[in-house]
């Protein structure tokens, strides 16, 4: 492989116009296709086969005229009168009536929608419901409680709500202009002194990839690169190549919408990862290129050797990241699989750019590649095994007490991992939106007026088609199911809210006592599911529990249940790949065990930051359901990057005759500084996404930044070298029979000695 990459690097350097033209044509062609054929991205989090969606299908069978609950795109407005007033007073009553009339005729609101002021609708609906219920024999107190739970006006008359459906099938189909029109009406209603807020799935802001987060990450990366190379031109090269890779990757993701649904978070995730690895891959190759220039005046030869050594590490590092991302296919969750594939494509492009476009640009610049110097940076000579730099001093400190360092790191990581025992997963909703946003205000007002469970309704669909007897018998069966649900201590209210025309199907509305993000709500759903078979038998009905609360809980559980298989596939495949790279069983084993420590520590720390609100970075809420899987996939790949870059230098020294401990120190000498810089860049890029509007992207950014810090600095550069120092030569042990079976990839570049510089091609 080293010889192949040598020829590629030398060719790209010498034939630079063709390579640059090819990349320009590729970007232009994909961009043109994306502009012409792309479609809106999806906001759907649904997973086929989960119980709540099966219940939604049952509801569709029994009530074919009603829209499926998982396909509804909703909007709602919640209003609260000023302190000491009710909504029935003027001018609030008139303002709400005007607001209802205008919202009903707003763009994209479903045709035929008739909205009424909660001040008018509340008393009228309550009177009708109480009269109908008492007529059927329901005790008056129960009838009033049921009516209050459904009323759009709170019991004290201070808070009111109105809801509607948008005439679309996908959240992304709600145009920003439609949202702006409703938000403008809400703003006008606030002029009277009321607190008014709009929420619902259809009013969520559209997440756009790109923007300030990438700009912040690039700015910080540029500072680190300037300090690393001491040259503005050299510092700019990894930025330029990474931006090209991210741009092309984003265009590919956008173009892919022409062939299927792509989650709206996929471009941001792909951009985040592509930018980080793109800068790092170019940094490693450029650093090795500068080192090779100490031995030759033939720049094309130096470029070839840089690609044959550092480029080989880039190939294996990129392959590890791609394996981890593509392995999301084994999660069985289409949304995660699509996000993983999008990120994998971007990583593949980033590696290709570093291996071909960077050498071409260096061929264009020739001797100007390291111009614009602001300070002198001395690159360690490849034949230098004696000099001392900051990385060597760090290695010597670890070598003085490796057992102490290893123990301290393990203890720290275990302590950080402890909060994982209370890990609670969830999905974003109005009740977990950022404080102060309309969505969060509307959810808070609903909780204030009706209790926290108002934001977490569940629906039990009752199928009595196989229940023996007439309509009266089926009605009795519905009542039996109602009694069963209502007696659970976690249920605030349960009532039949709809029956179909044939009388063999009903909808039971269950209002929990707790909020959607509360673990008690998940526990309630589980208790209902556990007792479902018993009441089905006694009532001769079939029951399915659905609603957005149940759907989100099922999605979170499915994602969590998919983790063990996914982790096994990722670790197993990457372990085999690392055996090829290091020709050792011990180093790959240490690498994977170190990853498990760092990812558990990261999940534990993120549980503390998100669920418990440590340091105020996040508001208290469940960790996003996709976080563990994304964290495992992405961090494992990135962690192995640094393992490959650092340990290949150690193995290179060991293969050339140095002792095991001296080889580790030599690895620090030649790769420590660039690995430190690469990790700092990646942390900066990820941390910049903490300022993203999307809660999911914000969590991913902070989680990845924390994971890279723990894994790169504590595990890769401290813990694993310390253990390798303790075990010595055994770190490179491999059974002879396996050594014969494993193909040689020449990661250390031993075969490059046969490639000599050509005097006719010296380019200074």
């Amino acid at each position: 492989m080293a010889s192949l990459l040598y020829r590629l690097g030398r060719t790209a350097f010498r034939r630079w116009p063709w390579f640059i033209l090819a990349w320009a044509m590729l970007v232009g062609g994909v961009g043109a296709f994306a502009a012409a054929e792309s479609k809106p991205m999806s906001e759907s989090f649904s997973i086929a086969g989960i119980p709540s969606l099966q219940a939604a299908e049952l509801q569709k069978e029994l009530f074919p005229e009603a829209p499926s609950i998982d396909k509804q795109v909703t909007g709602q407005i919640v209003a609260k009168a000023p302190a000491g007033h009710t909504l029935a007073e003027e001018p609030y009553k008139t303002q709400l009536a005007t607001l209802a009339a205008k919202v009903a005729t707003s763009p994209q609101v479903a045709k035929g929608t008739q909205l009424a002021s909660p001040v008018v609708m509340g008393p009228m609906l309550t009177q009708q419901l109480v009269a109908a219920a008492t007529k059927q024999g329901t005790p008056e107190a129960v009838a009033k409680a049921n009516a209050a739970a459904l009323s759009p006006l709170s019991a004290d008359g201070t808070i009111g709500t109105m809801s509607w459906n948008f005439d679309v099938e996908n959240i992304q189909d709600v145009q920003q202009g439609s949202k702006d029109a409703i938000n403008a009406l809400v703003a006008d209603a606030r002029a009277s002194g009321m607190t008014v807020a709009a929420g619902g799935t259809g009013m969520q802001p559209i997440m756009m990839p790109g923007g300030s987060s990438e700009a912040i990450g690039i700015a910080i990366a540029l500072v680190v690169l300037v300090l690393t190379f001491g040259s503005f031109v050299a510092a700019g090269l990894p930025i330029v190549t990474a931006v090209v890779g991210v741009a092309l990757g984003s265009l590919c993701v956008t173009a892919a919408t022409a062939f299927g649904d792509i989650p709206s978070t996929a471009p941001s995730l792909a951009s985040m990862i592509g930018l980080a690895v793109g800068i790092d891959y170019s940094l490693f190759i450029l650093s090795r290129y500068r080192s090779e220039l100490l031995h030759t005046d033939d720049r094309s030869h130096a470029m070839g050797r840089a690609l044959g050594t550092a480029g080989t590490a880039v190939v294996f590092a990129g392959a590890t990241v791609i394996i981890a991302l593509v392995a999301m296919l084994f999660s069985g969750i289409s949304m995660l699989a699509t996000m993983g594939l999008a990120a994998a494509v971007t990583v593949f492009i980033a590696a290709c750019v570093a291996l071909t476009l960077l050498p071409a640009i260096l061929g264009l610049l020739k001797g100007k590649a390291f111009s614009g110097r602001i300070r002198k940076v001395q690159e360690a000579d490849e034949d230098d095994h004696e000099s001392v730099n900051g990385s060597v001093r760090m290695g010597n400190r670890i070598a003085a007490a490796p057992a102490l360092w290893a123990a301290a790191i393990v203890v720290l990581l275990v302590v950080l991992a402890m909060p994982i025992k209370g890990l609670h997963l969830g999905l974003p909703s109005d009740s977990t939106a950022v404080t102060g946003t309309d969505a969060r205000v509307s959810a808070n007002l609903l909780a204030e007026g009706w209790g926290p469970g108002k934001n977490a309704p569940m629906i039990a669909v009752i199928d009595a088609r196989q229940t023996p007897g007439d309509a009266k018998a089926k009605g009795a069966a519905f009542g039996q199911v109602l009694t069963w649900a209502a007696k659970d201590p976690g249920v605030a209210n349960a009532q039949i809210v709809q029956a179909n025309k044939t009388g063999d199907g009903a909808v039971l509305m269950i209002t929990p006592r707790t909020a959607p993000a509360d673990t008690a709500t998940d526990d309630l759903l589980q208790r209902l599911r556990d007792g479902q078979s018993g009441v089905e038998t006694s009532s001769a009905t079939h029951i399915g529990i659905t609603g957005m609360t149940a759907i989100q809980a099922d999605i979170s559980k499915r994602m969590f249940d998919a983790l063990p298989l996914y982790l096994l596939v990722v670790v197993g495949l990457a372990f085999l790949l690392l055996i090829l790279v290091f020709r050792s069983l011990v180093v790959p084993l240490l690498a994977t065990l170190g990853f498990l420590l760092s990812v558990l520590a990261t999940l534990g720390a993120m549980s503390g930051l998100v669920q418990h609100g440590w340091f105020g970075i996040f508001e208290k809420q469940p960790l996003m359901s996709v976080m563990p899987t994304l964290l495992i996939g992405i961090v494992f790949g990135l962690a192995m990057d640094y393992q490959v870059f650092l340990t290949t230098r150690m193995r290179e020294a060991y293969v050339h005759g140095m002792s095991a401990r001296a080889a580790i120190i030599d690895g620090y000498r030649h790769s420590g500084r660039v690995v430190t810089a690469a990790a700092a860049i990646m942390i900066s890029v990820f941390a910049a996404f903490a300022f993203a509007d999307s809660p999911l992207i914000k969590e991913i950014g902070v989680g990845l930044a924390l994971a890279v810090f723990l894994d790169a600095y504590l595990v890769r550069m401290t813990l694993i070298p310390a253990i390798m120092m303790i075990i010595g030569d055994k770190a490179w042990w491999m059974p002879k029979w396996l050594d014969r079976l494993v193909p040689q990839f020449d990661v250390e570049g031993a075969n490059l000695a046969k490639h000599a510089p050509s005097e006719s091609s010296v380019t200074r």
Side-chain angles (χ1 to χ4, degrees), residues 332-358:
I333 300 170
S334 59
M335 181 194 69
L336 277 179
T338 304
M339 293 173 68
L341 287 175
V345 168
T346 307
V347 170
F348 175 78
I349 293 171
C352 291
V353 167
L355 293 171
T356 58
L357 183 59
L358 176 62

Side-chain angles (χ1 to χ4, degrees), residues 23-69:
W23 278 106
M25 293 177 63
L26 182 60
V27 172
V30 175
F33 180 85
E37 303 295 335
S38 63
K39 299 176 182 177
M41 295 188 181
S42 172
E43 288 282 357
S44 174
F45 276 86
S46 63
I47 299 175
I50 57 178
S52 50
L53 288 185
Q54 292 174 345
E57 290 298 321
L58 176 62
Q59 183 181 10
K60 190 66 178 176
E61 290 179 22
L62 296 171
F63 301 89
E65 71 283 354
S68 178
I69 188 149

Side-chain angles (χ1 to χ4, degrees), residues 2 36 64 73 92 126 186 222 331 384 450 459 534 543 584 621 736 750:
V73 181
Y92 319 122
T126 298
V186 168
L222 183 59
S331 69
D384 174 17
W450 289 268
I459 293 174
I543 304 169
S584 160
Q621 57 185 286
K736 291 183 179 180

Side-chain angles (χ1 to χ4, degrees), residues 274-487:
L275 186 61
V277 300
I279 293 175
D280 276 6
Y281 293 165
S282 294
L283 166 62
F284 280 106
I285 293 173
L286 186 59
S287 178
R288 188 66 182 241
Y289 171 65
R290 183 175 64 174
S291 177
E292 293 294 339
L293 288 176
L294 297 174
H295 299 277
T296 179
D297 289 331
D298 184 347
R299 295 186 181 277
S300 65
H301 174 66
M303 188 68 255
R305 284 191 58 86
L307 229 61
T309 51
T312 304
V314 166
V315 169
F316 279 100
T320 309
V321 179
I322 291 170
I323 285 173
L325 293 169
V326 172
M328 289 184 185
L329 289 168
F330 291 92
S331 69
I333 300 170
S334 59
M335 181 194 69
L336 277 179
T338 304
M339 293 173 68
L341 287 175
V345 168
T346 307
V347 170
F348 175 78
I349 293 171
C352 291
V353 167
L355 293 171
T356 58
L357 183 59
L358 176 62
I361 295 176
L362 290 171
L364 168 66
L365 295 176
K366 296 183 174 63
K368 298 179 181 179
F370 296 97
S371 59
R373 289 189 177 276
I374 60 170
R375 72 186 187 98
K376 184 178 181 180
V377 177
Q378 182 62 43
E379 189 74 22
D381 192 309
E382 294 304 303
D383 298 326
D384 174 17
H385 304 296
E386 302 295 335
S387 64
V388 176
N389 54 29
S391 297
V392 171
R393 285 189 286 272
M394 174 183 174
N396 286 331
R397 282 194 293 270
I398 296 172
L404 181 61
W405 280 97
I409 296 300
V410 170
V411 169
L412 175 60
L413 294 176
V414 169
V415 170
L416 287 175
M418 290 178 67
I420 201 173
K421 62 185 178 182
L423 187 65
H424 179 210
L425 302 180
L427 288 173
S429 65
D430 286 353
S431 61
T432 59
V434 178
T435 297
T437 59
D438 265 21
R440 183 63 175 270
V441 171
S442 67
N444 289 346
L445 289 177
L446 287 176
E448 180 183 344
W450 289 268
K454 182 70 171 179
N455 290 299
M458 300 180 193
I459 293 174
V461 183
I462 309 172
D463 180 6
R465 287 177 292 187
Q466 303 302 318
T467 304
D470 55 12
K472 185 176 180 179
K474 296 179 187 295
F478 297 154
Q480 190 174 348
V481 177
L482 167 61
T483 302
W484 160 76
K487 69 181 181 182

Side-chain angles (χ1 to χ4, degrees), residues 569-580:
V569 171
V570 169
V571 172
L573 291 177
F575 180 76
L576 294 176
L577 182 65
L578 291 176
I579 290 176
L580 299 179

